[in-house]
């Protein structure tokens, strides 16, 4: 892909790989051993830019220190975890599993404090006191922590799989099975533009810390980074498999991403893009 002039912040940047505790030298970063199944989603701690939490099919949630690559906390839950997000103040983590169960973790103790069963999978992101969930073609807005319905939006013509909130509070984006990403004005609750670079159902989306860029990924083997105001692609990151999760660091342009690629003997991997390449 020919990059536009806007791509300068991402030019010549590379990724690092994380598998767990043990390090092995790689040309473009560090590898570590960790999860025993694929990493389905991850998220950065909004208050500590060096910490990232991962949800895996191995039924665990892990908290990692990106500086050392070590797993700092681990919680074993009841099901195969597929969704994870932080509360904006960093005190709670919400985790959804394949059994449509939502678990709230207390970050300080890293233990469950609340569980609730739903009749659909949770793909939500917290926005102020609200938690947004995606169901079929609609976006359901629920109050937090009561999880009572507040509003319902008709968002796409196919199932909505993921949602992300602009850190500046202007927009939220919705990724759908129709391969489109829609951008919504929060005050007006209206769709203002769409992103069309992906060809497969959109699995994951994330705004960067300034709200200037939106990363989107799907079963296509690349991550698309687009300018939020123009919807134009500024960079694409090649991948080795379909992506399950992309998440920008809350303070700098580092993008964590994880997908279906598993290295023997069944080690889940996640990577962080945005490190300067060796000269």
């Amino acid at each position: 892909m020919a990059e536009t002039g806007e791509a300068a912040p991402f030019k010549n940047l590379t990724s690092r790989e994380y598998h767990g505790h043990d390090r092995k030298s790689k040309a473009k970063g560090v590898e570590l051993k960790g999860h025993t199944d694929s990493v389905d989603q991850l998220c950065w701690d909004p208050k500590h830019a060096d910490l990232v939490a991962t949800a895996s099919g191995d039924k665990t949630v892990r908290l990692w220190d990106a500086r050392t690559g070590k797993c700092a906390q681990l919680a074993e839950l009841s099901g195969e975890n597929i969704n994870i997000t932080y509360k904006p103040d960093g005190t709670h983590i919400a985790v959804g599993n394949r059994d449509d169960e939502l678990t709230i973790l207390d970050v300080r103790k890293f233990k469950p404090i609340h569980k609730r069963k739903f009749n659909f999978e949770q793909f939500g992101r917290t926005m102020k006191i609200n938690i947004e969930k995606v169901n079929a073609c609609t976006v359901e807005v629920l109050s937090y922590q009561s999880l009572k319905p507040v509003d319902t939006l008709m968002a796409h013509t196919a199932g909505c799989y993921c949602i992300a909130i602009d850190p500046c509070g202007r927009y939220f984006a919705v990724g759908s099975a129709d391969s489109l990403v829609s951008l919504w004005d929060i005050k007006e609750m209206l769709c203002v533009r769409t992103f069309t670079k992906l060809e497969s159902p959109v699995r994951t989306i994330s705004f960067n810390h300034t709200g200037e860029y939106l990363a989107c990924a799907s079963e296509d083997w690349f991550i698309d980074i687009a300018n939020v105001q123009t919807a134009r692609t500024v960079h694409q990151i090649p991948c080795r498999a379909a992506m399950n999760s992309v998440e920008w660091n809350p303070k700098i342009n580092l993008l964590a991403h994880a997908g279906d690629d598993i290295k023997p003997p069944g080690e889940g991997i996640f990577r962080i893009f945005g490190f300067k390449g060796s000269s």
Side-chain angles (χ1 to χ4, degrees):
M1 185 203 80
E3 296 178 346
T4 70
E6 296 175 273
F10 307 105
K11 192 175 182 179
N12 299 324
L13 299 181
T14 62
S15 298
R16 293 181 181 175
E17 293 185 356
Y18 295 82
H19 295 236
H21 296 286
D22 299 329
R23 294 187 173 190
K24 297 179 182 178
S25 296
K26 285 286 179 180
K28 292 187 177 180
V30 176
E31 288 194 354
L32 305 133
K33 295 179 181 178
H35 287 290
T36 58
D37 203 340
S38 64
V39 178
D40 286 289
Q41 201 167 79
L42 49 81
C43 57
W44 291 94
D45 185 323
K47 298 300 181 181
H48 300 90
D50 295 317
L51 299 178
V52 60
T54 55
S56 172
D58 63 10
K59 300 184 179 181
T60 69
V61 173
R62 297 172 187 248
L63 185 65
W64 305 80
D65 188 325
R67 296 165 298 183
T68 64
K70 292 184 177 180
C71 179
Q73 296 273 18
L74 184 150
E76 295 185 0
L77 303 182
S78 59
E80 297 181 22
N81 305 307
I82 55 175
N83 299 294
I84 187 169
T85 188
Y86 268 94
K87 191 169 180 280
D89 63 8
T91 58
H92 296 159
I93 295 176
V95 184
N97 65 26
R98 295 191 185 278
D99 298 323
D100 304 335
E101 183 179 64
L102 178 69
T103 299
I104 306 296
L105 294 175
D106 179 277
V107 171
R108 185 174 60 87
K109 297 180 180 179
F110 221 69
K111 293 184 180 299
I113 58 172
H114 183 68
K115 289 185 180 182
R116 182 173 171 182
K117 180 86 170 180
F118 289 86
N119 61 359
F120 54 87
E121 290 182 357
Q122 300 86 43
F123 297 93
R125 299 288 185 184
T126 54
M127 180 176 67
K128 297 181 180 178
I129 62 169
N130 294 336
I131 210 168
E132 299 202 6
K133 295 187 180 298
V134 181
N135 179 20
C137 306
T138 65
V139 175
E140 297 188 24
V141 184
L142 311 178
S143 63
Y144 187 81
Q145 297 179 353
S146 69
L147 303 183
K148 293 181 179 180
V150 175
D151 200 357
T152 300
L153 304 174
M154 292 298 299
H156 283 263
T157 58
C160 300
Y161 287 171
C162 51
I163 191 165
I165 309 299
D166 166 22
C168 299
R170 303 164 300 176
Y171 309 110
F172 66 89
V174 180
S176 171
D178 59 16
S179 80
L180 299 176
V181 176
S182 58
L183 186 72
W184 294 73
D185 182 288
I186 286 178
K187 290 183 179 180
E188 302 295 332
M189 286 295 172
L190 294 174
C191 180
V192 294
R193 66 185 56 92
T194 55
F195 301 77
T196 61
K197 286 294 182 180
L198 300 178
E199 297 180 359
S200 302
V202 183
R203 290 185 173 188
T204 176
I205 53 181
S206 177
F207 288 92
N208 80 323
H209 67 291
T210 63
E212 183 179 3
Y213 300 111
L214 180 68
C216 310
S218 67
E219 295 176 5
D220 303 319
W221 285 23
F222 65 87
I223 298 168
D224 186 72
I225 300 175
N227 182 291
V228 169
Q229 296 302 325
T230 65
R232 293 179 179 174
T233 295
V234 299
H235 189 71
Q236 287 186 348
I237 304 170
C239 301
R240 302 174 188 173
M243 288 292 99
N244 295 320
S245 182
V246 296
E247 186 78 11
W248 288 99
N249 184 283
K251 294 185 178 180
I252 56 177
N253 280 337
L254 290 178
L255 181 69
H257 54 99
D260 287 342
D261 48 340
I262 301 175
K263 288 193 173 182
E267 296 174 355
I269 303 167
F270 77 92
R271 299 178 176 87
I272 301 176
F273 168 82
F275 296 100
K276 292 183 178 180
S278 54
S279 55

